[in-house]
């Protein structure tokens, strides 16, 4: 391997969970470096479906070290819910196979509450967050009022810092949102309980990952969400609150990104998005509904129906370029089998700009009103979910893949044609 980064090259939900699980076989360490329980990485093993939110997908393989880096926003309640579910289904989760950074920020109940209140406050301008407290937690990190895992496991420090924070949050909740405040003593007691359970997993994960690299171990960096949801480079303000790709590895794993050798973007053969915000190639008509139905496009964390549309090469090239991708894995190709003709967005029409725009617009407000220009490809109209060799794909499917490959400038290294672990077609 030895160092590989997997990132979402669209708006999240590209099928990263399955691919990470597959490639985790060859890894010694699997490292999450950003996001939090807003992620929902779905992995199907032997017909059984697992949805991982905070724990890296390597947990489903025996003998891997799974790392939750300092850049992840950890909700300890969600974490122990997830650990409990995995253990109940026979998956081993102990401090040898799960390492949690002392520097990771903690999501508390007040973050989840403020997430919901802020969305209500935004009204029509709401982001459509997952409601998991992500934005408010990262906001406190930047404001330097957040608590980290290291603060949680030291009772005296926890009391002083959490009390100070809650006094301020209560003032906001009561005076701005006109809601009841948190009971500080009750909150401290609840958090203290979960902190005791967290303590054995806590480590200096950055040092451990760097040491593993020096020992020649294979490391897989598991991105959550997608490039178009990146706080700096995505469709701001309709984004999540972290750096979702390569840039997040330096800050969120404490590992130098220039030591990552392979960088694979994951994209669906079409596009989806959950929540609000620009989505130029969205299809609000019957084809969009068909994609949702055939692709089972409902949020794995929130159950929300996903907005669906066609592959957007302008946004995809931007995402791959931004992250220095060395290759792409194209997922859910089987879903397109129902269409006699497959549109692909190759350029935008941007108001006020003459001619077709094939580079992602630097002036982002323009995205609100762009119109997609499509090229249409012949479909293959036959089930491909059982195909495992590239040569066995119908010609029209191979032509579609090769046509996309030519336009994105990096090799398409693998195709995925179903949710099961083995439903993949390697290309090189
Ligand atoms: P937040 O991350 O909960 O604050 O949500 C911000 C935006 O990112 C919303 O549009 C969410 O729907 C979207 N989002 C967050 N996590 C994911 C994910 O894992 N997949 C897809 N969309 C996500």
């Amino acid at each position: 391997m030895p160092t590989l980064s997997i990132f979402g090259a669209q708006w999240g939900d590209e099928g990263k969970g399955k691919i990470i699980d597959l490639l985790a076989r060859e890894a010694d360490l699997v490292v999450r470096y950003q996001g939090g329980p807003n992620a929902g990485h779905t992995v199907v093993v032997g017909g059984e479906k697992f949805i991982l939110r905070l724990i890296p997908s390597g947990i489903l393989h025996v003998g891997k070290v799974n790392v939750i880096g300092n850049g992840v926003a950890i909700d300890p309640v969600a974490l122990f819910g997830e650990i409990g579910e995995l253990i109940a289904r026979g998956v081993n989760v102990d401090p040898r196979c799960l390492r949690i950074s002392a520097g990771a920020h903690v999501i508390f109940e007040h973050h989840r509450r403020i997430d919901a209140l802020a969305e209500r406050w935004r009204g029509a301008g709401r982001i459509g967050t997952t409601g998991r407290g992500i934005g408010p937690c990262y906001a406190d990190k930047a404001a330097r009022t957040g608590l980290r895992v290291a603060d949680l496991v030291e009772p005296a420090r926890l009391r002083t810092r959490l009390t100070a924070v809650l006094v301020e949050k209560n003032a906001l909740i009561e005076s701005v949102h006109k809601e009841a405040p948190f009971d500080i003593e009750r909150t401290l007691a609840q958090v203290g309980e979960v902190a005791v359970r967290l303590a054995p997993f806590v480590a200096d994960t950055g040092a451990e990952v760097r040491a593993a690299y020096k020992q020649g171990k294979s490391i897989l960096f598991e991105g959550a969400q997608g490039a178009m949801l990146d706080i700096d480079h995505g469709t701001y303000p309709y984004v999540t609150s972290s750096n979702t790709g390569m840039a997040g590895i330096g800050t969120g794993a404490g590992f130098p990104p220039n030591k990552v050798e392979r960088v694979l973007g994951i994209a669906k053969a079409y596009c989806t998005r959950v929540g609000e915000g620009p989505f130029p190639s969205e299809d609000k008509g019957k084809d969009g509904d068909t994609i949702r139905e055939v692709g089972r496009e409902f949020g794995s964390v929130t159950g929300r129906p996903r907005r669906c549309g066609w592959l957007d090469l302008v946004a995809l090239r931007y995402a791959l370029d931004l992250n220095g991708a060395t290759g792409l894995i194209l997922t859910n190709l089987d879903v397109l089998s129902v269409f006699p003709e497959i549109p692909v967005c190759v350029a935008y029409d941007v108001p006020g700009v003459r001619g077709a725009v094939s580079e992602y617009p630097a002036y982002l407000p323009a995205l609100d009103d762009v119109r997609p220009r499509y090229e249409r490809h012949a479909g293959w109209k036959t089930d491909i979910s059982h195909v495992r060799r590239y040569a066995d794909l119908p010609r029209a499917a191979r032509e579609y893949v090769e046509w996309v490959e030519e336009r994105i400038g990096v090799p398409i290294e693998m195709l995925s044609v179903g949710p099961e672990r083995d439903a993949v077609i390697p290309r090189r």
Side-chain angles (χ1 to χ4, degrees):
M1 187 177 277
T3 45
L4 166 66
S5 151
I6 299 278
F7 72 95
Q10 293 166 325
W11 281 274
D13 308 316
E14 299 92 349
K16 295 182 290 295
K18 172 190 151 156
I19 303 297
I20 292 160
D21 166 70
L22 189 75
L23 298 177
R25 279 183 206 162
E26 294 164 33
D28 298 305
L29 281 81
V30 183
V31 183
R32 270 280 303 269
Y33 53 90
Q34 48 74 225
N38 49 349
H41 292 170
T42 307
V43 183
V44 181
V45 186
E48 246 195 280
K49 186 166 162 180
F50 293 85
I51 298 177
L52 299 163
R53 297 179 175 89
L54 273 163
I55 300 180
S57 304
I59 201 75
L60 301 176
H61 296 267
V62 178
K64 311 291 175 192
V65 176
N66 295 275
V67 176
I68 300 184
N70 63 282
V72 177
I74 297 179
D75 180 335
V77 178
L79 178 72
F80 283 104
E82 197 172 326
I83 291 177
E85 270 172 47
L86 286 169
I87 291 175
R89 295 171 74 183
V91 178
N92 179 47
V93 186
D94 66 34
R96 271 166 308 161
C97 65
L98 180 64
R99 316 289 291 156
I100 298 175
S101 171
H105 276 255
V106 178
I107 300 178
F108 294 98
E109 197 182 338
H110 63 263
H111 289 126
R112 290 196 299 274
R113 177 97 163 272
I114 291 168
D115 195 356
L117 293 171
E119 281 285 83
R120 192 174 79 185
W121 187 263
R122 290 181 195 116
R126 72 186 176 280
I127 295 165
T129 73
T130 60
R132 298 300 190 265
I134 304 295
C137 175
Y138 280 117
D140 282 357
K141 173 180 177 175
R144 291 147 296 170
T145 52
L147 270 77
R148 308 200 291 174
V149 165
D151 300 313
L152 209 64
V153 294
E154 240 186 79
R157 210 173 150 73
L158 173 64
R159 170 166 284 276
T160 318
R161 298 217 48 204
L162 190 57
T163 304
V165 164
L166 280 178
V167 168
E168 190 199 344
K169 301 298 176 197
N170 275 346
L172 171 80
I173 289 169
E174 284 187 289
S175 53
V176 176
H177 297 291
K178 313 287 179 216
E179 295 258 337
F182 281 95
D183 179 326
I184 296 180
E185 284 306 320
R186 219 193 70 222
T187 308
L188 277 167
Q190 280 169 350
V191 174
E193 225 170 83
V194 79
V196 172
R197 299 177 66 195
L198 196 62
F201 295 93
V202 179
D204 179 352
T205 56
E208 290 187 0
V209 175
R210 292 191 301 276
Y213 175 74
K214 286 182 188 148
Q215 290 159 17
K217 300 248 168 84
S218 302
I219 307 171
L220 192 164
F221 293 95
E222 170 173 353
Q225 291 85 43
M228 305 309 286
L229 289 174
D230 183 283
I231 178 111
D232 288 286
H233 303 287
T235 49
Y236 192 92
Y238 301 100
V239 291
T240 191
S241 301
S242 58
N243 289 119
T244 55
M246 286 302 287
I249 293 177
T251 55
F255 186 83
N258 67 333
K259 301 271 190 272
V260 179
E261 288 152 35
R262 258 176 98 199
V263 182
L264 289 179
I266 313 289
K268 279 178 193 160
Y270 50 89
C271 271
T272 63
R273 169 163 208 169
V274 238
E276 309 301 319
F279 180 2
S281 63
E282 181 171 15
D283 187 313
K284 292 185 177 162
K286 132 176 138 346
D287 283 348
D289 292 343
T290 306
I291 294 176
R292 186 175 311 105
E293 217 171 279
V294 179
R296 297 172 296 276
E297 294 294 355
F298 296 88
S300 50
V301 170
T302 58
R304 289 182 288 178
R306 295 179 182 142
R307 297 158 64 192
C308 297
W310 303 109
L311 187 62
D312 179 343
L313 291 183
V314 181
L316 181 57
R317 272 198 302 265
Y318 168 72
L320 297 173
D321 209 20
L322 180 68
N323 285 283
T326 57
L328 178 77
I329 294 179
L330 199 63
T331 61
N332 292 27
L333 187 65
D334 55 310
V335 174
L336 293 184
S337 299
V338 294
F339 294 103
E341 201 177 52
I342 302 163
V344 178
C345 170
V346 291
Y348 300 150
D349 281 313
V350 179
V353 178
R354 202 183 303 168
V357 172
S358 53
E359 294 294 321
Y360 188 73
Y363 179 63
L364 292 175
L367 265 186
D368 292 338
D369 301 310
V370 302
R371 300 218 158 274
R373 282 198 187 186
Y374 289 114
E375 252 187 61
R376 287 166 202 283
H377 287 262
W380 42 94
K381 287 291 281 169
T382 172
D383 179 22
I384 57 167
S385 57
H386 57 280
V387 176
R388 297 292 175 267
R389 289 185 339 156
Y390 188 64
D392 295 339
L393 276 177
R395 191 161 144 200
R398 280 182 278 125
E399 278 174 0
Y400 174 82
V401 170
E402 286 158 33
W403 182 87
V404 170
E405 185 173 56
E406 225 170 82
R407 268 140 199 89
I408 57 174
V410 296
I412 296 181
E413 299 198 6
M414 196 191 286
L415 307 168
S416 165
V417 289
E420 279 285 344
R421 246 184 197 170
D422 74 333
V424 289
I425 304 175
R427 286 198 67 225
R428 55 195 82 213

